[in-house]
Amino acid sequence: MKKYILLYALFAVVCAFSAAGAVSLLKVSSVDVARHDGRLRIDMEFDTQSIRPGRDREVVFTPVIRSIGTADSIELAQVRICGRNRYYSHLRNDDLEPGERIYEAGRSDGVEYHAAVDFEPWMERCTIDMREEVANCCDPAIPTADSPVAELNYVPEPFVPEFRFVALTGDSIVERTAEGKAFIDFVVNRTEIKPDYRGNRKEIASIIESIDFVKNDPDATITRITIKGFASPEGSYSNNVRLAMGRTASLKEYVREHYNFPSEIMWTDYEPEDWEGFRARMLESDYPHRDEIIAMIDSDMEPDAKDAAIRRKYPQEYKHILENIYPGLRHSDYTVKYAIRTFVDIDELKAVFATDPGKLRPVDFQRIAATYPQGSPEYCATYLKAAEIYPHDAQAALNVANIMMAEGKLDSAAEYLHRAGDTPEAVYSRGVLAALKGDMERASALMGQASAAGLDIATSEKARLDAQRNRPTVKYFVGK
């Protein structure tokens, strides 16, 4: 029976409270919620003049931050708005908890409320509610309502950009180079070639093989063959000039006659003494006086004086150099340059792409890519191969950067964008990358630059980005 009497009494308190004329418990004249430096700050002003719970009652307001999506929550400091008798009763009895705030109802100046808490990850999406309870001197507090104060959404909306691919325009003829070294032996002090002398047959075959590789390619036309002969520092410099020139000329004529090439595509050069090669071989050696010999090679002495000084000062090493290093310095470097014909038919272009894509120009890759839907595996594979064949082509690098961004490979995208130049499209794409990395301020600035340069897509995407950046993060339900 006592239990029922108590419930009836509580119900009567609530009814009496409503009948007393305090229709709305929560009256807030202003509210502001802000996130700053890892803290969430809540500022409110209660309109206590309109809160009239009755002389012997009080309203207890408790702000509660509640997560949206999880069970996390936190209660902030309470505020008690008391009728006159209840207010002085608290003061006389000193019965408030530390930090509790008590105010007399009906005051005209209002009550300012300030609270701040550490911002937790779960607060990215949360609500701030005001729990309201009515109490009197003798009975437990009775919950009356939870009034929504604000809803917070600090989770950025994902920015899904529109990637800007550019057409590859490079249409220069594809030129290739085949090169190698041949170590052809000559009879001492002679310049004529003897194909059957020592290992010459094999060395000459290496040159012939390189030329045949090009001549047998129906898409290739040889444009230039260069042969550069080198001699070792052994012997006088003047005689080595004669030998290098004569032996190079002999090899040129041998090749020209073998293929009946016109003389204008045959070029020669010579290096009387290969000191650079000598130095490289010495760096790889472990001779006791290696560094001293290298210092002599680097000196300003005349070539004959250098050779004589090394022979005189380091006779044991010179003997080994004469037998093991100098012979390797007598070589002929050859270069075969050739041009690839231009392909017209799209099916032929795709066939070349599948077998030897290095024969294609950037514009050829563009023609192939244009036959596929943007973003398809074939479309992306075409641009990836173009960037591989032409690593210094800014347009190809830009397109691959877009592919990398679409795949979420942002670090790789940044590397390609370094090589993409400074066109409006490249600047715009750097803005896209900044947005994907979460740097919206930099993204907006870069897109603004591209927009100012006349790129329409940058204008529209910047507007969309800024709208997302400036969206309200707090939605207020009272006081705003």
Side-chain angles (χ1 to χ4, degrees):
M1 180 63 70
K2 290 182 179 180
K3 177 179 178 182
Y4 290 112
I5 293 174
L6 178 59
L7 291 174
Y8 179 80
L10 293 176
F11 179 73
V13 169
V14 176
C15 293
F17 178 82
S18 299
V23 177
S24 298
L25 299 181
L26 179 63
K27 295 290 185 179
V28 176
S29 58
S30 67
V31 60
D32 185 65
V33 180
R35 175 184 179 183
H36 183 68
D37 289 339
R39 301 275 286 174
L40 185 67
R41 192 191 74 247
I42 302 170
D43 300 310
M44 290 185 285
E45 185 172 350
F46 289 88
D47 180 10
T48 56
Q49 190 173 16
S50 63
I51 301 176
R52 299 183 181 278
R55 297 170 62 87
D56 298 319
R57 300 184 181 90
E58 65 185 4
V59 184
V60 182
F61 294 103
T62 308
V64 182
I65 305 174
R66 291 191 175 97
S67 169
I68 296 176
T70 71
D72 295 289
S73 67
I74 184 172
E75 294 184 359
L76 305 182
Q78 293 182 335
V79 175
R80 294 175 181 266
I81 309 297
C82 306
R84 180 177 178 80
N85 293 345
R86 185 65 174 154
Y87 176 75
Y88 286 106
S89 173
H90 282 304
L91 295 182
R92 285 195 306 271
N93 298 322
D94 193 22
D95 56 1
L96 298 176
E97 296 292 332
E100 277 193 316
R101 309 173 195 185
I102 181 173
Y103 302 95
E104 185 177 1
R107 56 186 288 177
S108 60
D109 55 349
V111 172
E112 291 186 357
Y113 179 91
H114 307 286
V117 294
D118 290 335
F119 192 90
E120 301 290 341
W122 58 265
M123 295 178 186
E124 293 280 351
R125 289 281 284 119
C126 67
T127 62
I128 299 176
D129 300 324
M130 187 69 75
R131 190 172 66 212
E132 307 172 29
E133 301 169 293
V134 178
N136 62 20
C137 61
C138 304
D139 300 316
I142 303 173
T144 60
D146 274 5
S147 299
V149 174
E151 181 177 320
L152 282 57
N153 184 0
Y154 291 107
V155 179
E157 294 182 20
F159 180 70
V160 181
E162 183 174 339
F163 299 110
R164 181 60 180 264
F165 290 86
V166 296
L168 307 184
T169 58
D171 59 359
S172 298
I173 293 175
V174 175
E175 291 186 315
R176 283 180 163 184
T177 300
E179 54 189 12
K181 291 180 184 292
F183 297 90
I184 297 174
D185 276 321
F186 291 85
V187 176
V188 175
N189 256 348
R190 303 298 295 250
T191 60
E192 64 269 18
I193 290 179
K194 293 185 178 295
D196 295 320
Y197 184 66
R198 296 188 176 178
N200 283 353
R201 184 68 65 183
K202 178 181 177 182
E203 295 300 317
I204 292 173
S206 69
I207 302 176
I208 300 302
E209 182 180 349
S210 296
I211 297 174
D212 283 346
F213 174 79
V214 178
K215 281 185 64 66
N216 295 333
D217 186 341
D219 301 323
T221 300
I222 294 176
T223 57
R224 180 168 175 166
I225 297 176
T226 301
I227 298 173
K228 183 175 182 178
F230 295 81
S232 70
E234 180 187 5
S236 70
Y237 186 82
S238 60
N239 190 52
N240 286 335
V241 170
R242 178 185 70 84
L243 292 175
M245 290 179 63
R247 290 171 177 177
T248 301
S250 294
L251 183 56
K252 169 193 171 183
E253 286 305 309
Y254 182 90
V255 172
R256 191 181 71 82
E257 291 175 1
H258 185 84
Y259 288 101
N260 195 28
F261 283 137
S263 58
E264 58 265 23
I265 73 166
M266 298 291 299
W267 293 66
T268 59
D269 194 5
Y270 68 93
E271 189 75 37
E273 296 180 357
D274 189 4
W275 288 96
E276 185 177 335
F278 184 16
R279 189 182 195 283
R281 294 287 295 274
M282 286 302 301
L283 280 172
E284 298 171 354
S285 73
D286 57 355
Y287 290 159
H289 299 96
R290 184 194 72 170
D291 294 341
E292 291 85 350
I293 294 173
I294 290 175
M296 287 185 174
I297 293 172
D298 293 339
S299 71
D300 294 333
M301 288 189 291
E302 293 297 320
D304 289 347
K306 287 184 188 182
D307 182 63
I310 295 171
R311 182 177 64 247
R312 181 178 63 255
K313 193 163 186 178
Y314 306 106
Q316 292 301 318
E317 280 124 322
Y318 186 82
K319 183 175 183 295
H320 192 274
I321 289 169
L322 199 64
E323 295 173 352
N324 297 281
I325 292 183
Y326 277 1
L329 303 180
R330 303 167 196 141
H331 58 92
S332 296
D333 292 356
Y334 55 90
T335 301
V336 182
K337 288 188 175 182
Y338 55 100
I340 301 298
R341 72 180 178 91
T342 299
F343 303 98
V344 178
D345 183 74
I346 189 65
D347 292 331
E348 188 177 35
L349 281 172
K350 289 186 176 182
V352 174
F353 177 84
T355 56
D356 196 352
K359 290 182 176 181
L360 300 178
R361 304 168 298 167
V363 71
D364 297 327
F365 287 99
Q366 178 60 40
R367 289 184 60 197
I368 295 171
T371 66
Y372 302 117
Q374 180 171 316
S376 66
E378 296 84 0
Y379 181 89
C380 294
T382 304
Y383 281 139
L384 286 166
K385 182 58 69 174
E388 177 185 330
I389 301 297
Y390 295 98
H392 302 296
D393 188 292
Q395 294 171 330
L398 176 56
N399 286 344
V400 173
N402 284 322
I403 293 170
M404 294 295 105
M405 287 190 286
E407 294 179 354
K409 300 174 181 177
L410 303 187
D411 290 340
S412 295
E415 293 177 10
Y416 279 102
L417 283 175
H418 282 310
R419 310 200 302 262
D422 293 310
T423 62
E425 290 82 2
V427 174
Y428 165 76
S429 293
R430 292 188 183 102
V432 170
L433 178 63
L436 293 175
K437 287 186 172 183
D439 190 349
M440 300 305 182
E441 184 175 352
R442 173 172 168 76
S444 180
L446 288 168
M447 289 183 181
Q449 293 178 28
S451 175
L455 188 63
D456 290 342
I457 189 176
T459 304
S460 58
E461 288 295 275
K462 181 182 186 307
R464 188 165 67 90
L465 178 68
D466 288 344
Q468 290 190 17
R469 288 178 63 211
N470 299 325
R471 67 179 177 84
T473 54
V474 182
K475 180 180 180 181
Y476 295 96
F477 300 106
V478 296
K480 279 281 185 176

